[in-house]
Amino acid sequence: MSPKADGKHIGFWGANALSLAFGAGFFLVVAAQAVAGYAEFNEQLAVEGLQRIGFGDYLMSSDFAVDVTENWQSEFLQFFLFIFATVHLLQHGSPESKPLDRAGIESEEYQRMGDHAREDSPRWAGTKDWRQTLYSRSLGLTMAALFLLSWLAQSVAGVAAYNDVRLRQLQEPLDWVTYLGSADFWNRSLQNWQSELLAVATMAILSVYLRQRGSPESKPVGSPHTATGVEG
């Protein structure tokens, strides 16, 4: 059954427009990144006096893989940290924060868990065993797992890309463990982490004072700056 808004049925495209739009945007941007990265990679090969490679070969290369995965892991890290941090940490006046009196994991009644679960609640929310414990933390744990997996993928692709450069320079390649302690690996990771932390901090504080009409990431335009945990 399709969802309703103001008593009217909303079709599939309207009900899922946000995820579909961002999903389509993701594939378009990855494609554009591949084209730009391919051109840059071949320019570097030309500078080094080496033969150009085909586009298909570039898509299968460690250079393309590491550029993609290093961004993925930083994004998943951002969501993982934000999900867990906002359980206990508050920001007065920000819609990104819970109200100041709700710090912590909150009561089972408020969270509609156990005996307080409703008929339309997810099935595991009404249990009182490990299933409830797992489900009640499933979003944060999934984001943590995605971060670790993408970080692992970055390290594997990164050592391959790093060794490709070393071999072209007639240097000995590094093994994976040694690469994990290298400046290249940590520079790739930390330059993305700092940007994600800055973005979250900026959003949290600017949303106290600035507004975007109609956005759930903003407070209603007329809400006072001190209103906390209120969405538009």
Side-chain angles (χ1 to χ4, degrees), residues 53-208:
I53 65 172
F55 186 64
D57 291 331
Y58 175 72
L59 293 181
M60 300 300 295
S61 71
S62 57
D63 190 84
F64 177 64
V66 71
D67 286 345
V68 171
T69 54
E70 74 176 65
N71 287 287
W72 288 4
Q73 57 89 5
S74 64
E75 297 300 329
F76 288 128
L77 174 66
Q78 176 192 142
F79 285 114
F80 158 64
L81 292 177
F82 193 64
I83 288 166
F84 275 102
T86 50
V87 173
H88 299 281
L89 303 182
L90 307 172
Q91 175 58 56
H92 187 208
S94 176
E96 303 298 323
S97 166
K98 295 190 295 186
L100 301 182
D101 59 351
R102 281 176 45 202
I105 60 175
E106 303 171 341
S107 67
E108 289 197 353
E109 180 179 6
Y110 189 88
Q111 287 289 318
R112 303 174 186 173
M113 298 165 57
D115 294 333
H116 303 283
R118 301 179 180 180
E119 290 185 2
D120 58 353
S121 296
R123 182 162 55 89
W124 282 19
T127 61
K128 298 182 180 181
D129 51 25
W130 65 270
R131 292 172 296 174
Q132 184 199 75
T133 301
L134 178 62
Y135 186 70
S136 66
R137 295 166 175 80
S138 57
L139 180 59
L141 291 174
T142 298
M143 287 297 177
L146 290 171
F147 159 64
L148 293 174
L149 287 172
S150 56
W151 198 22
L152 173 63
Q154 177 204 329
S155 71
V156 173
V159 69
Y162 188 69
N163 282 333
D164 282 346
V165 174
R166 290 179 65 87
L167 289 172
R168 295 201 300 268
Q169 297 172 349
L170 304 179
Q171 296 177 314
E172 287 291 325
L174 301 181
D175 60 70
W176 180 68
V177 174
T178 303
Y179 178 72
L180 292 183
S182 70
D184 183 81
F185 175 69
W186 285 103
N187 180 54
R188 286 180 177 274
S189 297
L190 294 172
Q191 68 179 333
N192 285 285
W193 294 1
Q194 55 87 11
S195 64
E196 302 303 332
L197 293 171
L198 175 63
V200 171
T202 301
M203 181 64 181
I205 192 63
L206 289 183
S207 60
V208 175

Side-chain angles (χ1 to χ4, degrees), residues 18 95-96 203 212-219 230-232:
L18 185 60
E96 303 298 323
M203 181 64 181
Q212 179 59 54
R213 184 175 180 177
S215 175
E217 300 304 315
S218 166
K219 294 184 287 189
V230 178
E231 297 179 348

